[in-house]
């Protein structure tokens, strides 16, 4: 099949690479000339485990091409996949639809044969109708259908999730469009559940799923607060809960709050959509507020550990919103660092992938360590803010000699509490009191 992908970000690029690997002819279109030039010259523009190798292979085979020209991408395509951003609107906090609507308008003139326009971006319910109207207005004779094809991949596991999704959901309002999507996903037949539903149901499934997962994280974080007071251990509690198949063990890691480009914006968009149509979603509203507060509470916990220390120096391990990615959008680590800076702390931070992206936001307000070991130098406390498991291999016994005070706030529960105590650390972690 001929596939055009509009937007080559964290969703568009792995999706393009994945479909190209099945032998489809994929053209990725992006407005960002720098991105397209880099991709055309074989350089990846984001970090995803395993992506580079497959990207180089399919691009080398001529199956994956990149362009800034909507015409070159869309003309002749069987399926056009929209994967542009839908960030929170700066004033209303609703999903900002300008990129979707602009892309629909720009692609419309190049629909010359029957084409399915599939929306992978996370969009408010009813967006399919709007996109349809925009395309009709800009190309009244176009033969096309718009379907909702929400994306559920997890950053850091984008390729793995592309090849083995839990399910594929498609919202198509007619059988002809559904057939095209079945053909697109033919390699997944018998391997994954394909669900065809109404377009508006499909748009809702994406928000309903993300809001549920965000609530699950917020729930375990509140349970961690309880464990700290009651003398229980959240890791043991989560293990015991997760063995119940009705609950499942995913998204039960207590930590500094959820972040990333999806959960904060999607919970907010869901709450505002519900408000607009008069449905009360109090659980989601509480989750949003609770999660915002949690990041500040976590920063305060770190500051408590250096109370009375003059010009405290904080060594930060991790800036990405989670491990396996270079993405710092709405990262709890970044928000905690911003709060620590506001309170006058000096920060030296290390991340395996996200330092460049963090630098674009924080500039020279903090130091960026070349190695994780470097953040221990002269530090009054080490704050573990991203769950890179590699941190666990650091030689704490020798690194502690570099510190001014031996303290650690392990907000990802990576280190072994008894080992840290043995090394003489004042050590705190989530959901456990000592
Ligand atoms: P992103 O910001 O990484 O990438 C979006 C890309 O679209 C950018 O490169 C931008 O230049 C490009 N773009 C914008 N307007 C364009 C236009 N008119 N023509 C061509 N290119 C254009 O975004 P992302 O993280 O990949 O997310 C895309 C969508 O997928 C969002 O709606 C998001 O909520 C959803 N989603 C994201 C994830 C995730 O893990 N990041 C997971 C599931 C769903």
């Amino acid at each position: 099949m001929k596939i055009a992908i509009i937007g080559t970000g964290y969703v568009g690029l792995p999706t393009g690479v994945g479909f190209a690997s099945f032998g489809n002819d994929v053209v990725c279109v992006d407005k960002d000339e720098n991105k397209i030039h880099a991709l055309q010259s074989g350089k990846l523009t984001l970090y995803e485990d395993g992506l580079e190798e497959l990207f180089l292979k399919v691009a080398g085979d001529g199956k994956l091409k990149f362009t800034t020209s909507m015409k070159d991408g869309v003309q002749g395509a069987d399926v056009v996949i929209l994967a542009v951003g839908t960030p929170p609107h700066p004033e209303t906090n609703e999903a900002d639809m300008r990129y979707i609507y602009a892309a629909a308008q720009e692609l419309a003139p190049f629909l010359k044969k029957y084409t399915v326009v599939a929306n992978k971006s996370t969009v408010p319910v009813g967006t399919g109708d709007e996109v349809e109207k925009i395309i009709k207005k800009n190309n009244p004779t176009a033969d096309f259908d718009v379907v909702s094809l929400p994306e559920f991949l997890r950053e850091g596991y984008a390729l793995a999730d592309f090849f083995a999704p839990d399910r594929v959901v498609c919202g198509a309002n007619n059988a002809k469009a559904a057939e095209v999507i079945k053909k697109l996903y033919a390699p997944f037949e018998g391997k994954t559940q394909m669900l065809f539903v109404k377009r508006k149901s499909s748009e809702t499934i994406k928000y309903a799923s993300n809001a549920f997962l965000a609530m699950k994280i917020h729930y375990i974080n509140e349970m961690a607060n309880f464990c700290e007071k009651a003398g229980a251990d959240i890791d043991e509690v989560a293990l015991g809960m997760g063995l119940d198949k009705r609950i499942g063990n995913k998204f039960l890691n207590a930590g500094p709050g959820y972040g990333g480009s999806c959960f904060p914006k999607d919970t907010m968009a869901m709450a505002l959509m519900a408000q607009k149509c008069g449905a009360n979603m109090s659980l989601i509203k509480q989750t949003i507020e609770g999660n915002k507060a949690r990041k500040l509470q976590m920063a305060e916990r770190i500051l408590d550990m250096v109370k009375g220390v003059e010009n405290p120096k904080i060594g930060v391990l991790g800036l990405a919103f989670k491990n396996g990615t270079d993405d710092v959008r709405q990262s709890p680590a970044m928000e905690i660092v911003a709060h620590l800076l506001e309170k006058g702390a000096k920060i030296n931070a290390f991340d395996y992938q996200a330092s460049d992206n963090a630098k674009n936001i924080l500039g020279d307000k903090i130091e960026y360590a070349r190695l994780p070991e470097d953040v221990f130098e002269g530090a009054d406390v080490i704050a573990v803010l991203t769950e890179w498991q590699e941190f666990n291999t650091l030689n704490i016994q020798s690194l502690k000699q570099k510190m001014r005070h031996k303290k650690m706030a392990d907000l990802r529960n990576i280190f072994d509490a008894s080992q840290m105590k043995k090394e003489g650390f004042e050590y705190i972690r989530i959901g456990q009191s000592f």
Side-chain angles (χ1 to χ4, degrees), residues 6-13 29-32 35 46 70 82-87 99-100 102-104 106 120-123 150-155 206 210 261-262 265-266 321 327 329:
I6 318 301
T8 52
Y10 288 88
V11 168
L13 189 55
V29 183
D30 205 290
K31 269 191 159 354
D32 185 331
K35 256 187 202 177
L46 52 88
M70 196 60 98
L82 293 177
V84 299
T86 48
Y99 306 103
I100 292 281
E106 290 158 17
K120 260 202 179 299
S121 299
T122 303
V123 290
E151 181 53 62
F152 301 101
L153 64 76
R154 298 161 301 163
E155 276 180 35
K206 175 63 193 175
N210 270 6
S261 69
C262 291
K265 90 170 163 67
D266 293 347
F321 85 92
D327 200 347
R329 290 178 288 181

Short mmCIF file of all heavy atoms in Angstrom, two decimals, residues 6-13 29-32 35 46 70 82-87 99-100 102-104 106 120-123 150-155 206 210 261-262 265-266 321 327 329, ligand 1:
data_model
loop_
_atom_site.label_atom_id
_atom_site.label_comp_id
_atom_site.label_asym_id
_atom_site.label_seq_id
_atom_site.Cartn_x
_atom_site.Cartn_y
_atom_site.Cartn_z
N ILE A 6 1.56 12.20 8.15
CA ILE A 6 1.74 13.64 8.34
C ILE A 6 2.16 13.87 9.79
O ILE A 6 1.38 13.62 10.72
CB ILE A 6 0.42 14.43 8.04
CG1 ILE A 6 -0.28 13.90 6.79
CG2 ILE A 6 0.71 15.93 7.96
CD1 ILE A 6 0.54 13.95 5.52
N GLY A 7 3.40 14.33 9.97
CA GLY A 7 3.95 14.52 11.32
C GLY A 7 4.91 13.39 11.62
O GLY A 7 4.51 12.22 11.66
N THR A 8 6.20 13.73 11.82
CA THR A 8 7.19 12.67 12.07
C THR A 8 7.75 12.80 13.48
O THR A 8 8.97 12.88 13.68
CB THR A 8 8.37 12.74 11.07
OG1 THR A 8 8.86 14.07 11.10
CG2 THR A 8 7.96 12.40 9.68
N GLY A 9 6.86 12.85 14.46
CA GLY A 9 7.28 12.93 15.85
C GLY A 9 7.34 11.55 16.49
O GLY A 9 7.60 10.54 15.81
N TYR A 10 7.07 11.50 17.78
CA TYR A 10 7.19 10.26 18.55
C TYR A 10 6.20 9.19 18.07
O TYR A 10 6.43 8.00 18.28
CB TYR A 10 6.99 10.55 20.04
CG TYR A 10 8.18 11.27 20.63
CD1 TYR A 10 8.26 12.65 20.61
CD2 TYR A 10 9.25 10.55 21.16
CE1 TYR A 10 9.38 13.31 21.13
CE2 TYR A 10 10.36 11.19 21.68
CZ TYR A 10 10.42 12.58 21.66
OH TYR A 10 11.52 13.21 22.15
N VAL A 11 5.09 9.62 17.44
CA VAL A 11 4.13 8.65 16.90
C VAL A 11 4.39 8.41 15.41
O VAL A 11 4.51 7.27 14.95
CB VAL A 11 2.68 9.14 17.12
CG1 VAL A 11 1.69 8.31 16.32
CG2 VAL A 11 2.33 9.07 18.61
N GLY A 12 4.49 9.49 14.64
CA GLY A 12 4.59 9.37 13.18
C GLY A 12 5.80 8.59 12.72
O GLY A 12 5.69 7.74 11.83
N LEU A 13 6.95 8.85 13.34
CA LEU A 13 8.18 8.23 12.85
C LEU A 13 8.21 6.71 13.10
O LEU A 13 8.40 5.94 12.15
CB LEU A 13 9.40 8.94 13.47
CG LEU A 13 10.76 8.55 12.92
CD1 LEU A 13 10.83 8.72 11.40
CD2 LEU A 13 11.87 9.37 13.58
N VAL A 29 5.69 13.12 5.96
CA VAL A 29 5.68 14.55 5.66
C VAL A 29 5.78 15.33 6.96
O VAL A 29 5.07 15.01 7.92
CB VAL A 29 4.35 14.94 4.96
CG1 VAL A 29 4.35 16.42 4.57
CG2 VAL A 29 4.07 14.05 3.76
N ASP A 30 6.67 16.31 6.99
CA ASP A 30 6.71 17.18 8.17
C ASP A 30 7.02 18.60 7.73
O ASP A 30 7.76 18.82 6.78
CB ASP A 30 7.76 16.70 9.19
CG ASP A 30 7.42 17.15 10.60
OD1 ASP A 30 7.53 18.36 10.87
OD2 ASP A 30 7.04 16.30 11.44
N LYS A 31 6.45 19.54 8.47
CA LYS A 31 6.68 20.97 8.20
C LYS A 31 8.08 21.39 8.63
O LYS A 31 8.61 22.38 8.15
CB LYS A 31 5.70 21.78 9.05
CG LYS A 31 4.40 22.07 8.38
CD LYS A 31 3.65 23.10 9.23
CE LYS A 31 2.59 23.85 8.49
NZ LYS A 31 2.38 23.73 7.12
N ASP A 32 8.64 20.66 9.57
CA ASP A 32 9.92 21.04 10.17
C ASP A 32 11.07 20.62 9.23
O ASP A 32 11.42 19.44 9.13
CB ASP A 32 10.02 20.32 11.53
CG ASP A 32 11.25 20.73 12.30
OD1 ASP A 32 12.26 21.10 11.67
OD2 ASP A 32 11.20 20.68 13.54
N LYS A 35 14.06 18.69 10.70
CA LYS A 35 13.78 17.27 10.95
C LYS A 35 13.88 16.48 9.66
O LYS A 35 14.51 15.42 9.60
CB LYS A 35 12.33 17.13 11.47
CG LYS A 35 12.24 16.87 12.94
CD LYS A 35 10.81 16.56 13.35
CE LYS A 35 10.67 16.85 14.83
NZ LYS A 35 9.34 16.67 15.35
N LEU A 46 14.78 11.53 17.10
CA LEU A 46 14.34 11.25 18.47
C LEU A 46 14.90 9.89 18.87
O LEU A 46 15.30 9.10 18.02
CB LEU A 46 12.81 11.27 18.59
CG LEU A 46 11.99 10.41 17.62
CD1 LEU A 46 11.79 9.01 18.16
CD2 LEU A 46 10.64 11.06 17.39
N MET A 70 3.60 18.42 1.04
CA MET A 70 2.35 17.68 1.25
C MET A 70 1.95 16.98 -0.05
O MET A 70 1.50 15.84 -0.04
CB MET A 70 1.27 18.69 1.69
CG MET A 70 0.06 18.09 2.30
SD MET A 70 0.34 17.10 3.79
CE MET A 70 -0.06 18.23 5.08
N LEU A 82 -2.76 10.96 9.97
CA LEU A 82 -2.46 12.22 10.65
C LEU A 82 -1.81 11.90 11.99
O LEU A 82 -2.42 11.20 12.82
CB LEU A 82 -3.74 13.03 10.90
CG LEU A 82 -4.46 13.58 9.66
CD1 LEU A 82 -5.75 14.31 10.07
CD2 LEU A 82 -3.55 14.51 8.87
N ALA A 83 -0.59 12.40 12.19
CA ALA A 83 0.11 12.16 13.47
C ALA A 83 0.76 13.46 13.94
O ALA A 83 1.89 13.46 14.43
CB ALA A 83 1.15 11.04 13.30
N VAL A 84 0.04 14.55 13.76
CA VAL A 84 0.57 15.85 14.22
C VAL A 84 0.22 16.04 15.69
O VAL A 84 -0.62 15.33 16.24
CB VAL A 84 0.02 17.02 13.36
CG1 VAL A 84 0.42 16.85 11.91
CG2 VAL A 84 -1.49 17.14 13.49
N GLY A 85 0.87 17.01 16.31
CA GLY A 85 0.65 17.22 17.74
C GLY A 85 -0.71 17.82 18.05
O GLY A 85 -1.30 18.52 17.23
N THR A 86 -1.20 17.52 19.25
CA THR A 86 -2.42 18.16 19.76
C THR A 86 -2.13 18.63 21.19
O THR A 86 -2.75 18.14 22.15
CB THR A 86 -3.63 17.18 19.75
OG1 THR A 86 -3.21 15.93 20.36
CG2 THR A 86 -4.15 16.92 18.37
N PRO A 87 -1.17 19.54 21.34
CA PRO A 87 -0.77 19.96 22.69
C PRO A 87 -1.88 20.75 23.38
O PRO A 87 -2.85 21.14 22.72
CB PRO A 87 0.44 20.89 22.41
CG PRO A 87 0.20 21.42 21.04
CD PRO A 87 -0.51 20.34 20.28
N TYR A 99 -3.07 22.26 14.49
CA TYR A 99 -2.20 21.48 13.59
C TYR A 99 -3.00 20.45 12.78
O TYR A 99 -2.73 20.20 11.62
CB TYR A 99 -1.09 20.78 14.40
CG TYR A 99 -0.33 21.77 15.24
CD1 TYR A 99 -0.55 21.87 16.62
CD2 TYR A 99 0.58 22.64 14.66
CE1 TYR A 99 0.12 22.81 17.39
CE2 TYR A 99 1.26 23.59 15.42
CZ TYR A 99 1.02 23.67 16.78
OH TYR A 99 1.67 24.61 17.54
N ILE A 100 -4.00 19.86 13.43
CA ILE A 100 -4.85 18.89 12.74
C ILE A 100 -5.63 19.60 11.63
O ILE A 100 -5.66 19.13 10.48
CB ILE A 100 -5.88 18.27 13.74
CG1 ILE A 100 -5.18 17.39 14.76
CG2 ILE A 100 -6.98 17.50 13.01
CD1 ILE A 100 -4.81 16.02 14.26
N ALA A 102 -5.02 22.44 10.17
CA ALA A 102 -4.15 22.95 9.10
C ALA A 102 -3.74 21.79 8.19
O ALA A 102 -3.77 21.92 6.96
CB ALA A 102 -2.91 23.60 9.71
N ALA A 103 -3.39 20.64 8.79
CA ALA A 103 -2.96 19.49 7.98
C ALA A 103 -4.10 19.04 7.07
O ALA A 103 -3.89 18.74 5.88
CB ALA A 103 -2.50 18.35 8.89
N ALA A 104 -5.34 19.01 7.60
CA ALA A 104 -6.50 18.58 6.79
C ALA A 104 -6.67 19.53 5.60
O ALA A 104 -6.91 19.09 4.47
CB ALA A 104 -7.75 18.56 7.66
N GLU A 106 -4.35 21.45 4.24
CA GLU A 106 -3.21 21.38 3.32
C GLU A 106 -3.23 20.12 2.46
O GLU A 106 -2.81 20.13 1.31
CB GLU A 106 -1.90 21.44 4.12
CG GLU A 106 -1.64 22.81 4.74
CD GLU A 106 -0.69 22.74 5.93
OE1 GLU A 106 0.01 21.72 6.09
OE2 GLU A 106 -0.67 23.71 6.72
N LYS A 120 -4.50 9.49 13.75
CA LYS A 120 -3.80 8.82 14.86
C LYS A 120 -3.54 9.77 16.01
O LYS A 120 -3.19 9.35 17.11
CB LYS A 120 -2.45 8.26 14.37
CG LYS A 120 -2.54 6.79 14.07
CD LYS A 120 -1.20 6.11 14.10
CE LYS A 120 -1.39 4.64 13.81
NZ LYS A 120 -2.23 3.93 14.78
N SER A 121 -3.64 11.07 15.74
CA SER A 121 -3.44 12.03 16.83
C SER A 121 -4.58 11.86 17.84
O SER A 121 -5.66 11.39 17.49
CB SER A 121 -3.46 13.46 16.29
OG SER A 121 -2.42 13.64 15.38
N THR A 122 -4.31 12.25 19.08
CA THR A 122 -5.34 12.16 20.11
C THR A 122 -6.19 13.43 20.03
O THR A 122 -5.67 14.53 20.23
CB THR A 122 -4.69 12.04 21.50
OG1 THR A 122 -3.83 10.90 21.47
CG2 THR A 122 -5.72 11.88 22.60
N VAL A 123 -7.46 13.24 19.69
CA VAL A 123 -8.28 14.42 19.37
C VAL A 123 -9.65 14.34 20.05
O VAL A 123 -10.18 13.25 20.28
CB VAL A 123 -8.50 14.51 17.85
CG1 VAL A 123 -7.23 14.87 17.14
CG2 VAL A 123 -9.09 13.22 17.30
N PRO A 150 -6.81 5.61 16.81
CA PRO A 150 -5.99 6.12 17.91
C PRO A 150 -4.73 5.29 18.15
O PRO A 150 -4.70 4.09 17.88
CB PRO A 150 -6.93 6.03 19.13
CG PRO A 150 -8.02 5.10 18.74
CD PRO A 150 -8.14 5.17 17.25
N GLU A 151 -3.71 5.98 18.65
CA GLU A 151 -2.42 5.34 18.89
C GLU A 151 -2.26 5.10 20.39
O GLU A 151 -2.50 5.99 21.19
CB GLU A 151 -1.30 6.24 18.36
CG GLU A 151 0.08 5.66 18.54
CD GLU A 151 0.19 4.27 17.97
OE1 GLU A 151 0.02 4.09 16.76
OE2 GLU A 151 0.43 3.32 18.75
N PHE A 152 -1.83 3.89 20.74
CA PHE A 152 -1.67 3.56 22.17
C PHE A 152 -0.22 3.28 22.54
O PHE A 152 0.05 2.80 23.63
CB PHE A 152 -2.54 2.35 22.52
CG PHE A 152 -4.00 2.56 22.26
CD1 PHE A 152 -4.61 2.05 21.12
CD2 PHE A 152 -4.78 3.30 23.14
CE1 PHE A 152 -5.96 2.26 20.87
CE2 PHE A 152 -6.13 3.52 22.91
CZ PHE A 152 -6.72 2.99 21.77
N LEU A 153 0.72 3.56 21.61
CA LEU A 153 2.11 3.18 21.91
C LEU A 153 2.64 3.92 23.13
O LEU A 153 2.21 5.02 23.44
CB LEU A 153 3.02 3.40 20.70
CG LEU A 153 3.28 4.81 20.15
CD1 LEU A 153 4.24 5.60 21.01
CD2 LEU A 153 3.82 4.71 18.74
N ARG A 154 3.61 3.28 23.78
CA ARG A 154 4.29 3.92 24.92
C ARG A 154 5.64 4.40 24.43
O ARG A 154 6.36 3.63 23.79
CB ARG A 154 4.51 2.90 26.05
CG ARG A 154 3.26 2.32 26.65
CD ARG A 154 3.57 1.04 27.39
NE ARG A 154 4.16 0.03 26.50
CZ ARG A 154 4.82 -1.06 26.90
NH1 ARG A 154 5.00 -1.28 28.19
NH2 ARG A 154 5.30 -1.92 26.04
N GLU A 155 5.97 5.65 24.74
CA GLU A 155 7.31 6.12 24.38
C GLU A 155 8.33 5.24 25.10
O GLU A 155 8.12 4.81 26.23
CB GLU A 155 7.49 7.58 24.80
CG GLU A 155 6.95 8.52 23.76
CD GLU A 155 7.10 9.98 24.14
OE1 GLU A 155 8.11 10.32 24.77
OE2 GLU A 155 6.21 10.75 23.80
N LYS A 206 -9.62 6.43 23.28
CA LYS A 206 -8.25 6.90 23.55
C LYS A 206 -8.21 7.73 24.84
O LYS A 206 -7.38 7.50 25.72
CB LYS A 206 -7.76 7.73 22.35
CG LYS A 206 -6.42 8.38 22.55
CD LYS A 206 -5.30 7.38 22.74
CE LYS A 206 -4.05 8.07 23.25
NZ LYS A 206 -2.97 7.17 23.55
N ASN A 210 -6.40 6.67 28.50
CA ASN A 210 -5.33 7.46 29.12
C ASN A 210 -5.76 8.01 30.48
O ASN A 210 -4.96 8.03 31.42
CB ASN A 210 -4.90 8.60 28.20
CG ASN A 210 -3.77 8.16 27.27
OD1 ASN A 210 -3.41 6.98 27.25
ND2 ASN A 210 -3.21 9.07 26.52
N SER A 261 3.97 13.70 27.39
CA SER A 261 3.20 14.54 26.48
C SER A 261 1.74 14.12 26.41
O SER A 261 0.94 14.77 25.76
CB SER A 261 3.81 14.49 25.08
OG SER A 261 3.60 13.20 24.54
N CYS A 262 1.38 13.00 27.06
CA CYS A 262 0.02 12.49 26.88
C CYS A 262 -0.88 12.63 28.12
O CYS A 262 -1.91 13.29 28.05
CB CYS A 262 0.07 11.03 26.45
SG CYS A 262 0.73 10.85 24.79
N LYS A 265 -1.99 16.24 29.36
CA LYS A 265 -2.85 16.97 28.41
C LYS A 265 -4.16 16.21 28.14
O LYS A 265 -5.21 16.82 27.99
CB LYS A 265 -2.09 17.26 27.12
CG LYS A 265 -2.18 16.23 26.04
CD LYS A 265 -1.59 16.73 24.73
CE LYS A 265 -1.30 15.59 23.78
NZ LYS A 265 -2.47 14.89 23.27
N ASP A 266 -4.09 14.89 28.11
CA ASP A 266 -5.30 14.14 27.78
C ASP A 266 -6.31 14.12 28.93
O ASP A 266 -7.52 14.16 28.70
CB ASP A 266 -4.94 12.70 27.34
CG ASP A 266 -4.17 12.70 26.02
OD1 ASP A 266 -4.13 13.75 25.35
OD2 ASP A 266 -3.60 11.65 25.66
N PHE A 321 10.80 12.10 31.23
CA PHE A 321 9.58 11.87 32.02
C PHE A 321 9.45 10.41 32.44
O PHE A 321 8.72 10.08 33.36
CB PHE A 321 8.33 12.38 31.28
CG PHE A 321 7.72 11.43 30.28
CD1 PHE A 321 6.71 10.56 30.64
CD2 PHE A 321 8.15 11.43 28.95
CE1 PHE A 321 6.14 9.70 29.72
CE2 PHE A 321 7.58 10.58 28.03
CZ PHE A 321 6.57 9.70 28.41
N ASP A 327 12.31 12.28 25.92
CA ASP A 327 11.22 13.25 25.99
C ASP A 327 11.13 13.88 27.38
O ASP A 327 11.07 13.16 28.39
CB ASP A 327 9.90 12.52 25.66
CG ASP A 327 8.79 13.48 25.23
OD1 ASP A 327 8.96 14.70 25.42
OD2 ASP A 327 7.77 12.99 24.71
N ARG A 329 8.81 16.48 27.87
CA ARG A 329 7.56 17.24 27.93
C ARG A 329 6.78 16.87 29.19
O ARG A 329 6.55 15.71 29.45
CB ARG A 329 6.72 16.96 26.67
CG ARG A 329 7.34 17.57 25.41
CD ARG A 329 6.53 17.25 24.17
NE ARG A 329 6.64 15.87 23.76
CZ ARG A 329 6.03 15.36 22.68
NH1 ARG A 329 5.27 16.13 21.94
NH2 ARG A 329 6.20 14.09 22.35
P1 LIG B 1 5.31 15.44 18.12
O1 LIG B 1 5.17 16.84 18.59
O2 LIG B 1 6.48 14.62 18.55
O3 LIG B 1 5.26 15.41 16.52
C1 LIG B 1 4.32 16.11 15.76
C2 LIG B 1 4.97 16.47 14.42
O4 LIG B 1 3.96 17.01 13.56
C3 LIG B 1 6.05 17.55 14.52
O5 LIG B 1 7.25 17.05 13.95
C4 LIG B 1 5.50 18.72 13.71
O6 LIG B 1 6.50 19.46 13.03
C5 LIG B 1 4.57 18.01 12.75
N1 LIG B 1 3.53 18.85 12.14
C6 LIG B 1 2.68 19.70 12.75
N2 LIG B 1 1.84 20.24 11.86
C7 LIG B 1 2.15 19.72 10.65
C8 LIG B 1 1.63 19.86 9.34
N3 LIG B 1 0.59 20.67 9.05
N4 LIG B 1 2.20 19.17 8.33
C9 LIG B 1 3.25 18.34 8.58
N5 LIG B 1 3.76 18.15 9.80
C10 LIG B 1 3.23 18.84 10.83
O7 LIG B 1 3.95 14.71 18.56
P2 LIG B 1 3.77 13.19 19.03
O8 LIG B 1 4.28 12.99 20.41
O9 LIG B 1 4.24 12.28 17.94
O10 LIG B 1 2.18 13.11 19.12
C11 LIG B 1 1.36 13.15 17.97
C12 LIG B 1 -0.07 12.84 18.38
O11 LIG B 1 -0.16 11.49 18.85
C13 LIG B 1 -0.61 13.70 19.52
O12 LIG B 1 -1.98 13.94 19.32
C14 LIG B 1 -0.42 12.84 20.73
O13 LIG B 1 -1.33 13.14 21.77
C15 LIG B 1 -0.68 11.46 20.17
N6 LIG B 1 -0.02 10.36 20.89
C16 LIG B 1 1.26 10.51 21.32
C17 LIG B 1 1.89 9.44 21.96
C18 LIG B 1 3.30 9.59 22.47
O14 LIG B 1 3.75 8.68 23.19
N7 LIG B 1 4.02 10.64 22.15
C19 LIG B 1 1.21 8.24 22.15
C20 LIG B 1 -0.07 8.10 21.66
C21 LIG B 1 -0.69 9.18 21.02
#
